[in-house]
Amino acid sequence: MAGPRVRLVVTADDFGYCPRRDEGIVEAFLAGAVTSVSLLVNGAAAESAADLSRRHKIPTGLHANLSEGRPVGPARLGDSSLLSPEGFFLGKMGFREAVATGGVALPQVREELEAQLIRFRELLGGDPTHVDGHQHVHVLPGVCQVFAEVLQANGVRFTRLPVERGVGDRAWLEAPARAFACSVERDALAAVAPFSRYGLWWTDAFVGLSTCGRHMSVHRVSGALARALEGIPTGHTLTAELMAHPGYPSVPPAGGCGKGPDAFSCSWERLHELRVLTAPTLRAQLAQDGVQLCALHDLDSKRPGEATLKTFLERSRP
């Protein structure tokens, strides 16, 4: 019998954001629909999430956060380029604008990333399985270099490369969402050089920019993975990551990273993702497509699909 064509890691982001989100994420993990989580150590429910991770033996990474809520490092004392006058991170787009205009001091980025790794170890008692970036901040110009240096110095080798083949052609995405997804992909492609230089690993393919929230469906997840497989030689097993944001919607004031939950977390779309991920129809379709769900530690110990990755990135360039 032929082996799987794709070994898929399904990562639930924003673990620790609020108890309701975490409840749904754990439900999905126990159902076998999620295989990995990324923890926000500045999340309102980070401590209880860490308890859940230990109790259920959930493979847990760090969701490095430089854009939402309050910092955990020296920046919290104020007078930091990372913060607004009110003492909060600058926001998803505000941080990007500050990076683009040279307004972010990269040594302060390093301090905050290191502080979040320390906090992760305090909460979990060990190293993260991986480190990725909340709102994809880890692939931004300049930030990606510091991010790679910090991961190498701390012995973390696995990260996320948010390059989804064909994301610019996804007709169902509204123009702003498609533009943001394409900008994330451009940044990620530029981050390949520093990530490689510092020995970081990532999966051959990534899906999730076009299947977030109400856009997630069995058909679209299956189709995005099929698009990633185009041109892959028969017999090669592709490694892939599906990024997801499932859970029960936050109910204010509980949740958030220091200033309450945002509209994204309170949306019914979080429940929609949970329902799609845990539906038997998705599992059946993935099995039919030759997709096997697995955890990061189940992937090959070498860098995943090195030759395939080069081909994939070349195909993904605009």
Side-chain angles (χ1 to χ4, degrees):
M1 180 178 176
R5 296 190 69 200
V6 181
R7 304 189 75 191
L8 178 68
V9 176
V10 182
T11 305
D13 287 0
D14 302 343
F15 198 47
Y17 195 88
C18 85
R20 284 177 54 82
R21 291 283 301 281
D22 295 346
E23 179 185 354
I25 289 171
V26 171
E27 181 180 305
F29 174 76
L30 294 177
V34 159
T35 63
S36 175
V37 299
S38 291
L39 174 69
L40 286 162
V41 296
N42 71 334
E47 292 188 10
S48 59
D51 290 341
L52 290 169
S53 174
R54 288 192 298 269
R55 184 186 317 159
H56 299 293
K57 297 181 172 56
I58 305 174
T60 303
L62 171 64
H63 205 38
N65 186 1
L66 300 170
S67 57
E68 182 180 356
R70 293 193 183 276
V72 301
R76 71 185 185 281
L77 302 177
D79 191 28
S80 170
S81 67
L82 304 181
L83 305 182
S84 69
E86 296 73 33
F88 295 104
F89 285 134
L90 301 173
K92 175 181 174 179
M93 301 312 296
F95 181 68
R96 283 173 161 76
E97 292 166 5
V99 168
T101 58
V104 169
L106 294 178
Q108 293 175 346
V109 169
R110 183 187 305 275
E111 289 177 343
E112 181 61 25
L113 291 174
E114 289 175 343
Q116 292 188 21
L117 278 163
I118 290 170
R119 181 59 177 150
F120 183 97
R121 294 184 182 109
E122 290 173 350
L123 289 168
L124 273 297
D127 291 331
T129 58
H130 64 279
V131 181
D132 52 36
H134 185 50
Q135 299 171 341
H136 309 293
V137 295
H138 68 304
V139 297
L140 290 172
V143 175
C144 63
Q145 171 80 19
V146 174
F147 177 84
E149 292 172 359
V150 170
L151 263 60
Q152 184 195 58
N154 284 271
V156 180
R157 304 193 71 181
F158 217 105
T159 190
R160 169 184 293 164
L161 191 75
V163 175
E164 180 177 336
R165 188 181 184 203
V167 71
D169 302 328
R170 305 292 198 249
W172 60 83
L173 290 178
E174 300 83 353
R178 187 161 55 249
F180 179 74
C182 289
S183 72
V184 167
E185 184 173 65
R186 285 193 299 270
D187 289 336
L189 288 168
V192 168
F195 283 6
S196 299
R197 187 160 56 247
Y198 287 91
L200 301 188
W201 300 347
W202 53 87
T203 54
D204 293 321
F206 169 84
V207 172
L209 293 173
S210 70
T211 58
C212 185
R214 64 184 178 279
H215 299 304
M216 181 178 281
S217 69
V218 172
H219 174 72
R220 287 173 178 164
V221 170
S222 174
L225 287 170
R227 183 76 182 270
L229 271 172
E230 290 177 4
I232 302 301
T234 303
H236 180 90
T237 300
L238 188 80
T239 61
E241 180 187 13
L242 170 62
M243 174 188 71
H245 302 83
Y248 293 101
S250 300
V251 177
C257 297
K259 54 189 305 187
D262 61 10
F264 181 91
S265 192
C266 295
S267 171
W268 62 270
E269 297 182 44
R270 309 284 69 77
L271 181 59
H272 173 74
E273 288 198 33
L274 177 62
R275 295 299 184 232
V276 172
L277 289 170
T278 55
T281 48
L282 178 60
R283 183 67 62 86
Q285 183 63 54
L286 292 177
Q288 182 179 320
D289 295 342
V291 177
Q292 179 185 67
L293 269 60
C294 65
L296 283 174
H297 58 72
D298 295 324
L299 300 181
D300 294 340
S301 58
K302 63 179 179 63
R303 178 172 176 153
E306 199 162 341
T308 305
L309 178 63
K310 182 175 184 295
T311 304
F312 175 79
L313 291 175
E314 287 172 349
R315 294 195 318 251
S316 300
R317 291 187 185 280

